[in-house]
Amino acid sequence: SQQGEEDPQALSIQEGENATMNCSYKTSINNLQWYRQNSGRGLVHLILIRSNEREKHSGRLRVTLDTSKKSSSLLITASRAADTASYFCATDYGGATNKLIFGTGTLLAVQP
Amino acid sequence: DAMVIQNPRYQVTQFGKPVTLSCSQTLNHNVMYWYQQKSSQAPKLLFHYYDKDFNNEADTPDNFQSRRPNTSFCFLDIRSPGLGDAAMYLCATSRQGRMGTEAFFGQGTRLTVV
């Protein structure tokens, strides 16, 4: 299976703290993406980092990519209760078909 | 404005009775994906279309079929739903090129099999 692994599986923090989630994948990628999913809803794209990039920022989000280790991390700074959701990394393996494979996910709970 | 629309939001079907889920997009994206997501699990890719080319995942059961009659519409057909097929089904689209871009998801169809 090409599915990536995320850790931790679940994370509980207090409002204002930072949250870090890690993703590891198995083969070469075009890009890696992070998505957020509120309970019972569709996924929302957060940020995309290409294979030739090492770090990217978007608001309170910071993503790093280490292609030598086949890993990525998502940092959410100054978390809010509204950040409570599941977070998934997704790898685009490119090639002829550009399929997008999701990792196992991290369930983040931010306590007010 | 909704860009990827899935209908219906909730679908109840009987064991063994064929069911079709639909997805439409207003983004003119060339790639459309179907994912199955069971409770507390990651979305699992069933198949995707790159333009008109259909790409089936090796572990997608034969019970699942798909049609894409034009750029805007895509259908997921479950020929004989079993209890294990109860899940959220997610449709997504993207404009893919050499480096890829983000995917846009619909709100999903929650399928219940009774």
Side-chain angles (χ1 to χ4, degrees), chain A residues 94-109:
Chain A
T97 64
N98 285 116
K99 66 180 181 182
L100 196 61
I101 302 294
F102 282 83
T104 50
T106 294
L107 178 60
L108 174 65

Side-chain angles (χ1 to χ4, degrees), chain A residues 6 54 88 100:
Chain A
E6 287 182 61
R54 292 297 167 257
F88 294 94
L100 196 61

Side-chain angles (χ1 to χ4, degrees), chain A residues 30-31 35 37 41 98 100, chain B residues 35 37 98-99 103 107:
Chain A
N30 258 359
N31 63 70
Y35 289 80
Q37 185 178 36
R41 308 298 296 272
N98 285 116
L100 196 61
Chain B
Y35 290 90
Q37 187 178 28
R98 190 171 59 86
M99 291 302 288
Q107 288 300 301

Side-chain angles (χ1 to χ4, degrees), chain B residues 11-48:
Chain B
Q11 176 74 55
V12 180
T13 191
Q14 290 181 331
F15 183 95
K17 184 174 181 182
V19 65
T20 295
L21 310 181
S22 72
C23 178
S24 63
Q25 57 139 333
T26 60
L27 298 163
N28 202 34
H29 284 170
N30 60 328
V31 182
M32 293 187 80
Y33 305 88
W34 278 107
Y35 290 90
Q36 179 193 65
Q37 187 178 28
K38 296 188 176 180
S39 182
S40 302
Q41 295 185 20
K44 178 179 180 297
L45 182 63
L46 295 173
F47 22 61
H48 72 290

